[in-house]
Amino acid sequence: AWSAIGERHIGKARTAEASDRAAAAKHYKYAFEYFLFARFPLENSPGKVKAYGRALDAFAAYAKLQDPPIETLRIPFEGREIVGYLRLPAKIRPAPVVVTIGGLDGRKENASFRNDAYLARGVAYLALDMPGTGQSTIRLVVPGAERELSRVLDYIATRSELDAKRVAVYGG
């Protein structure tokens, strides 16, 4: 039922996209939220797996409409990819960055929505899923799971538009 509401918002977003980017973004965000709720609390059935995939699709469409844009990162890690979202403030380079990690019932996309306030203060954010959730490469929280975050911190140091000496990590 939640996915059906999400699909309605996808339709509204696609209709609005050519003429009203703000309305399209709003409907993609709503679609994401409904699909994410449809997969709650975790993707443990075929329908919930499909709902989570649709949530990711809706967020990707939302991200493309943002200014400044939300960049999807795919950081190589142990034969897989860490997926995260990076958003830079408009004019600050190199920008300090907050690495923000979702909790057990939230995802990196939720973190992106609540972290837009950093941009107005000249701070970038990089949103990630915590180990055991979402698209994290580590499927269970086990000793050594912090190596995923360590790889992200190493990646930050490779980006000239980020200030690797001014990094904070926030988990919610």
Side-chain angles (χ1 to χ4, degrees):
W2 296 113
S3 288
I5 298 169
E7 293 296 347
R8 285 199 301 270
H9 281 286
I10 290 286
K12 290 177 182 181
R14 288 180 178 154
T15 299
E17 209 162 344
S19 61
D20 189 346
R21 289 172 60 96
K26 177 183 78 170
H27 284 293
Y28 281 128
K29 182 178 178 183
Y30 288 159
F32 164 78
E33 291 172 346
Y34 281 108
F35 288 124
L36 195 68
F37 198 74
R39 65 101 214 135
F40 190 83
L42 61 127
E43 304 80 50
N44 60 354
S45 72
K48 289 182 175 190
V49 169
K50 182 179 178 185
Y52 184 53
R54 293 296 286 148
L56 294 174
D57 293 343
F59 185 84
Y62 167 85
K64 289 177 185 175
L65 297 173
Q66 300 309 296
D67 183 28
I70 298 172
E71 178 185 353
T72 300
L73 301 179
R74 297 189 179 283
I75 304 167
F77 175 72
E78 298 180 1
R80 299 178 71 196
E81 292 178 322
I82 300 168
V83 179
Y85 299 121
L86 176 65
R87 195 160 188 207
L88 301 168
K91 298 177 183 177
I92 307 296
R93 299 292 185 276
V97 61
V98 174
V99 177
T100 181
I101 304 167
L104 289 175
D105 60 352
R107 299 291 186 265
K108 64 191 171 303
E109 297 80 15
N110 301 108
S112 292
F113 297 137
R114 71 175 176 261
N115 291 328
D116 286 346
Y118 291 129
L119 301 174
R121 291 168 177 76
V123 177
Y125 70 79
L126 196 166
L128 301 169
D129 288 317
M130 70 173 274
T133 67
Q135 292 179 293
S136 174
T137 61
I138 297 173
R139 300 311 310 152
L140 298 171
V141 180
V142 295
E146 73 282 353
R147 69 190 189 280
E148 188 177 67
L149 179 58
S150 180
R151 175 65 185 104
V152 170
L153 295 173
D154 291 342
Y155 174 81
I156 288 170
T158 70
R159 297 285 300 250
S160 62
E161 63 270 61
L162 298 175
D163 187 343
K165 294 181 180 177
R166 294 189 297 161
V167 177
V169 177
Y170 166 80

